[in-house]
Amino acid sequence: MPLTIAGADPVKGTITLVVQEVGLSSTRLCELNEGDYITDVVGPLGKATHIENFGTVVCAGGGVGVAPMLPIVQALKAAGNRVITVLAGRTKELIILEKEMRESSDEVIIMTDDGSYGHKGLVTEGVEEVIKRETVNKCFAIGPAIMMKFVCLLTKKYEIPTDVSLNTIMVDGTGMCGACRITVGGKTRFVCVDGPEFDGHQVDFDEMLKRMGAFKDIEKEEIHKLDTEKPMTCEATKELDGRDAEWRASLRKAMKPKERMAIPRVKMNELDAEYRSHSRKEEVNLGLNEEQAITEAKRCLDCPNPTCMNGCPVGINIPKFIKNIERGEFLEAAKTLKATSALPAVCGRVCPQEKQCESQCTHLKAGHEAVAIGYLERFAADYERESGQISVPEVAEKNNIKVAVIGSGPAGLSFAGDMAKQGYDVTVFEALHESRGRIKIWYPQFRLPNKIVDVEIDNLSKMGVKFMKDCIVGKTISVEDLEAEDFKGIFVASGAGLPNFMNIPGENSINIMSSNEYLTRVNLMDAASEDSDTPVTFGKRVAVIGGGNTAMDSVRTARRLGAERAMIIYRRSEEEMPARLEEIHHAKEEGIEFHLLRNPVKILDDGNGQVCGIECLKMELGEPDASGRRRPVPVEGSNYVIDVDTVVMSIGTSPNPLIRSTTKGLETNRKGCLVVNEETNQTTREGVYAGGDAVTGAATVILAMGAGKKAAAAIDEYTKNK
């Protein structure tokens, strides 16, 4: 952080800090008002400046480096030196402490990059002007690392001793962490205890600059956090923003925290289990009514440090949208959600909140159930849609820069929304015939009705996002074609559509499908309808292999298609199942059988190639594996057969190889996932970024959306510096 001490008053017990607002921490510090506080200040560190009567001394200061230079100039003058100070900045506005420097210097020379004040040029030009006209005995340089490097290169040419004051990255500041280390004269030194001042001609500035840039990408991402703290363009008014807004403070005063925590968590309204198990297109969860939503919103404590937000990959301002629900401003709650999430109604239904935002709710620490954040998110999004007053996030003026999105899943849609808000010309390329194709495949309508997705896709269209359907990138067109059409950034969000199989005997028997095939036929192609030309197997004894959400979708779909026995076969216990707790609960209510600690080892057929049974081996749990779950261990001799006529494999997916096999320069890992920079989501090919399941393998909607947001910020930065 560009921060330094410029002065101190031991009598008053005060110090003067100079801060330049450039990053997350410095911005937050500059936002403090009189009466606000920071926890503590440690410093100054290291050793005092060596002062003597050198003769004529040039003091070169740049940026906030002028602040620590001031007491040095004062001390040098007091010691009898002739002091010539060179102040430098990009513009006039960045020249600081000029008056104070003139009071303690024999001469002050001002240099600005743009010539808006003083002389036009760099600090080195000002220093060399002095060297050429008179003898200089000593030089001090304090400022940006690159500035000090070139001042030292200059003074070394003229053989003028030069001291520099370094401000490297520090963590501990007391010589215990080693973060601030540099190389001086071929030896490692620690700025916090050995410095901060060193012989500038001995400092390895190139090494120092590299170390100073260690967190450059992270800093770019961190500064984006301010977006959730500052007013968004799609929000109603600035007055409504922030935890300290009057309306939020009034809500907190209306009820004591103990009263809020005493309110029991709301129960979701649901269709009757027996009825819904035969209804393929009616949503199981019916949502909250207004009274339920307001009551649940009152449970939120509006914490000063909302840990729930740490669990949200897209950074939704959770307390703000919930508090808007509490006061009955449901449309404002929806606007808050849409400020950072392109798919709030979808996420409110399918995201594993219990493992993300709700898992970090303060209520849990007190032994209470978490606030039902997911239920409230769904309520706000549904209320807006049903009201007909659907807001469209404001978009910036068009910048005429084209970006392409490959795939219309959650990662691609999240990316498209963020880029559109920033004024980019966004085109989404979808291989299927519907722009909501991927989401429609994954989720049956009893979990996520098509109309919900349609509205959120339509909102993106209103923001200017274009959808190119029936276009297979890698076949119809290539990444190279997109680049030739002047797309400046490309985001690969093609998902993980390649199904995995167990490679056991008999696995290619008739009526054995992947979940991808099964759900595509039923959900996207509507194969279960009487007038559909797409075939699907209506099994009576259906086994689904796996324990994730897709397995639950498949087995619950089979039940709705008339299966008399619909079974889950999973090699671990229920505790290790990755599926949402709600989905497991719903499945049990609907009569789904759970065959746990069972692992298929062979598929049996009836002699005509038709599956008729699964041979399973009983398992027991051993030590945890790399996933943290206990490893299943076979019980020898425990084989038995389950009679089935249909098997659905739901044991995970891998990224489709099409794009990586047709695009040069894209590196992949052993699982076929695209390799990206974790901080920016940039692939190994310039201008091409990737995120979602194409990078991680099959994961959640909200994690994919988070990857889309990260990539959007990175491509925005990339195009601006291109």
Side-chain angles (χ1 to χ4, degrees):
M1 183 194 307
L3 176 152
T4 189
I5 296 176
D9 189 329
V11 178
K12 293 182 179 179
T14 62
I15 59 173
T16 300
L17 292 178
V18 175
V19 186
Q20 185 177 0
E21 184 178 336
V22 294
L24 181 65
S25 298
S26 57
T27 300
R28 286 177 169 166
L29 189 61
C30 291
E31 288 176 346
L32 297 178
N33 299 309
E34 185 175 346
D36 294 336
Y37 68 91
I38 56 178
T39 304
D40 53 44
V41 176
V42 180
L45 304 170
K47 301 176 180 179
T49 304
H50 174 70
I51 302 292
E52 65 176 77
N53 190 338
F54 299 103
T56 298
V57 182
V58 173
C59 295
V64 295
V66 174
M69 183 67 82
L70 177 59
I72 295 174
V73 167
Q74 292 170 336
L76 288 169
K77 187 62 181 174
N81 292 281
R82 170 172 163 77
V83 181
I84 302 171
T85 302
V86 181
L87 302 180
R90 292 193 304 275
T91 65
K92 179 181 179 180
E93 289 72 24
L94 295 177
I95 300 295
I96 62 173
L97 300 175
E98 179 187 354
K99 176 177 176 294
E100 291 81 357
M101 284 297 192
R102 291 191 182 280
E103 291 173 350
S104 301
S105 306
D106 293 279
E107 182 182 356
V108 173
I109 298 171
I110 295 178
M111 308 294 297
T112 54
D113 293 2
D114 61 359
S116 56
Y117 190 50
H119 303 279
K120 183 178 182 181
L122 303 175
V123 64
T124 48
E125 295 175 66
V127 173
E128 191 165 26
E129 176 191 327
V130 179
I131 295 173
K132 286 181 175 180
R133 76 181 190 208
E134 60 185 285
T135 300
V136 176
N137 305 106
K138 182 78 171 182
C139 181
F140 287 83
I142 309 178
I146 192 70
M147 182 212 94
M148 292 188 287
K149 172 185 176 179
F150 282 99
V151 169
C152 289
L153 289 173
L154 174 67
T155 57
K156 189 174 184 179
K157 182 175 70 172
Y158 290 101
E159 299 182 344
I160 299 170
T162 302
D163 288 354
V164 292
S165 183
L166 307 183
N167 184 23
T168 51
I169 296 172
M170 297 188 189
V171 177
D172 175 76
T174 60
M176 295 173 61
C177 71
C180 66
R181 65 189 183 276
I182 57 168
T183 298
V184 182
K187 297 181 179 180
T188 298
R189 295 287 185 263
F190 301 98
V191 172
C192 67
V193 291
D194 299 323
E197 295 176 355
F198 298 92
D199 180 350
H201 299 163
Q202 298 293 313
V203 174
D204 187 338
F205 280 103
D206 291 336
E207 177 193 80
M208 176 181 166
L209 286 163
K210 290 178 182 177
R211 290 185 57 81
M212 293 286 284
F215 302 102
K216 183 178 180 180
D217 291 337
I218 297 176
E219 287 170 355
K220 292 177 182 177
E221 188 66 26
E222 289 291 303
I223 194 68
H224 192 62
K225 291 180 179 179
L226 294 170
D227 294 345
T228 62
E229 301 167 4
K230 296 179 178 180
M232 303 295 292
T233 55
C234 61
E235 294 173 3
T237 62
K238 293 183 178 180
E239 291 76 36
L240 300 181
D241 219 9
R243 183 176 183 270
D244 294 328
E246 185 177 349
W247 68 270
R248 283 180 65 176
S250 297
L251 286 179
R252 289 196 297 275
K253 293 177 183 177
M255 293 181 68
K256 296 179 179 178
K258 286 186 177 180
E259 294 175 318
R260 295 182 183 277
M261 298 186 90
I263 300 172
R265 177 177 163 123
V266 69
K267 302 298 182 185
M268 174 59 72
N269 305 309
E270 301 174 351
L271 284 178
D272 174 74
E274 174 59 25
Y275 170 80
R276 74 190 193 226
S277 66
H278 303 285
S279 177
R280 186 167 60 88
K281 295 186 178 182
E282 289 187 79
E283 192 173 6
V284 172
N285 285 343
L286 300 176
L288 307 180
N289 59 40
E290 292 184 19
E291 183 181 357
Q292 289 175 309
I294 291 173
T295 301
E296 182 63 22
K298 289 179 179 178
R299 298 184 67 231
C300 174
L301 302 176
D302 201 8
C303 304
N305 180 27
T307 53
C308 55
M309 291 181 61
N310 298 333
C312 178
V314 299
I316 289 173
N317 192 332
I318 294 171
K320 182 180 176 182
F321 99 78
I322 291 178
K323 292 296 107 176
N324 267 308
I325 292 176
E326 182 179 342
R327 66 173 183 150
E329 292 288 346
F330 307 139
L331 294 177
E332 286 301 320
K335 288 179 181 179
T336 300
L337 288 166
K338 291 162 76 171
T340 50
S341 174
L343 307 169
V346 172
C347 293
R349 286 167 162 82
V350 304
C351 282
Q353 290 92 4
E354 70 275 8
K355 297 178 182 178
Q356 294 176 326
C357 53
E358 293 182 12
S359 72
Q360 300 194 40
C361 177
T362 301
H363 278 260
L364 296 174
K365 299 175 183 177
H368 303 288
E369 290 186 280
V371 173
I373 299 171
Y375 293 172
L376 293 175
E377 181 179 15
R378 168 183 168 152
F379 169 81
D382 286 358
Y383 181 91
E384 183 193 54
R385 184 186 66 258
E386 293 164 4
S387 75
Q389 304 178 63
I390 301 175
S391 65
V392 179
E394 187 174 321
V395 300
E397 184 177 350
K398 292 294 183 182
N399 59 21
N400 298 317
I401 300 175
K402 295 166 60 178
V403 294
V405 189
I406 302 173
S408 63
L413 297 179
S414 177
F415 173 90
D418 273 23
M419 296 305 282
K421 288 176 184 176
Q422 298 178 81
Y424 286 85
D425 184 352
V426 186
T427 302
V428 179
F429 295 87
E430 168 56 47
L432 300 174
H433 62 283
E434 290 195 34
S435 53
R436 55 186 167 93
R438 298 295 174 187
I439 298 177
K440 192 173 180 180
I441 289 172
W442 297 328
Y443 300 109
Q445 292 205 59
F446 60 78
R447 275 190 72 198
L448 180 61
N450 290 339
K451 64 179 182 181
I452 303 299
V453 184
D454 289 341
V455 171
E456 304 208 320
I457 296 289
D458 185 58
N459 225 34
L460 289 171
S461 296
K462 291 177 180 177
M463 293 166 62
V465 177
K466 297 185 287 289
F467 291 88
M468 184 69 70
K469 305 168 193 175
D470 296 313
C471 185
I472 305 173
V473 179
K475 287 293 183 182
T476 312
I477 58 175
S478 66
V479 169
E480 288 81 2
D481 291 333
L482 294 176
E483 293 171 338
E485 291 181 17
D486 205 31
F487 284 94
K488 301 300 184 183
I490 299 171
F491 180 57
V492 180
S494 52
L498 186 67
N500 298 331
F501 289 89
M502 297 187 69
N503 296 318
I504 58 177
E507 196 171 25
N508 291 329
S509 301
I510 299 170
N511 286 347
I512 297 180
M513 296 168 280
S514 69
S515 280
N516 277 17
E517 178 187 354
Y518 188 58
L519 294 176
T520 297
R521 290 176 179 272
V522 176
N523 296 336
L524 182 63
M525 307 174 80
D526 203 23
S529 297
E530 292 183 1
D531 57 350
S532 174
D533 294 330
T534 301
V536 69
T537 301
F538 292 85
K540 294 299 183 182
R541 302 181 306 280
V542 182
V544 178
I545 316 301
N549 288 320
T550 305
M552 295 302 154
D553 289 341
S554 300
V555 76
R556 294 173 68 196
T557 295
R559 180 83 170 97
R560 285 160 169 78
L561 295 184
E564 297 170 358
R565 294 185 67 190
M567 300 164 269
I568 284 286
I569 299 177
Y570 182 57
R571 63 179 185 153
R572 290 184 167 95
S573 71
E574 183 176 325
E575 185 178 342
E576 286 79 33
M577 293 184 83
R580 293 188 65 192
L581 298 177
E582 184 178 70
E583 301 308 312
I584 297 171
H585 170 70
H586 284 163
K588 289 180 177 179
E589 287 186 330
E590 293 164 10
I592 305 302
E593 299 177 23
F594 283 74
H595 295 253
L596 304 176
L597 290 168
R598 303 290 188 270
N599 192 43
V601 294
K602 186 178 182 181
I603 304 292
L604 308 178
D605 69 55
D606 62 0
N608 297 312
Q610 170 75 46
V611 60
C612 66
I614 299 178
E615 183 179 337
C616 293
L617 186 65
K618 294 181 181 179
M619 312 292 283
E620 58 185 15
L621 295 179
E623 296 299 316
D625 61 13
S627 71
R629 298 176 297 172
R630 295 176 65 188
R631 187 186 304 275
V633 179
V635 179
E636 297 298 329
S638 62
N639 302 54
Y640 72 105
V641 174
I642 302 176
D643 293 334
V644 297
D645 58 22
T646 304
V647 176
V648 179
M649 292 290 180
S650 188
I651 57 172
T653 54
S654 302
N656 190 300
L658 188 58
I659 291 178
R660 69 173 187 261
S661 64
T662 58
T663 307
K664 295 180 180 179
L666 290 182
E667 185 180 335
T668 59
N669 62 20
R670 63 181 182 83
K671 295 182 178 180
C673 301
L674 294 174
V675 174
V676 299
N677 180 310
E678 292 185 0
E679 305 301 331
T680 64
N681 278 48
Q682 182 173 359
T683 68
T684 50
R685 181 180 175 120
E686 185 181 357
V688 179
Y689 294 69
D693 293 358
V695 172
T696 62
T700 64
V701 166
I702 196 68
L703 287 174
M705 291 177 64
K709 291 185 74 67
K710 183 190 293 184
I715 288 185
D716 178 52
E717 185 72 21
Y718 169 76
T719 58
K720 287 178 178 177
N721 295 325
K722 184 70 173 172

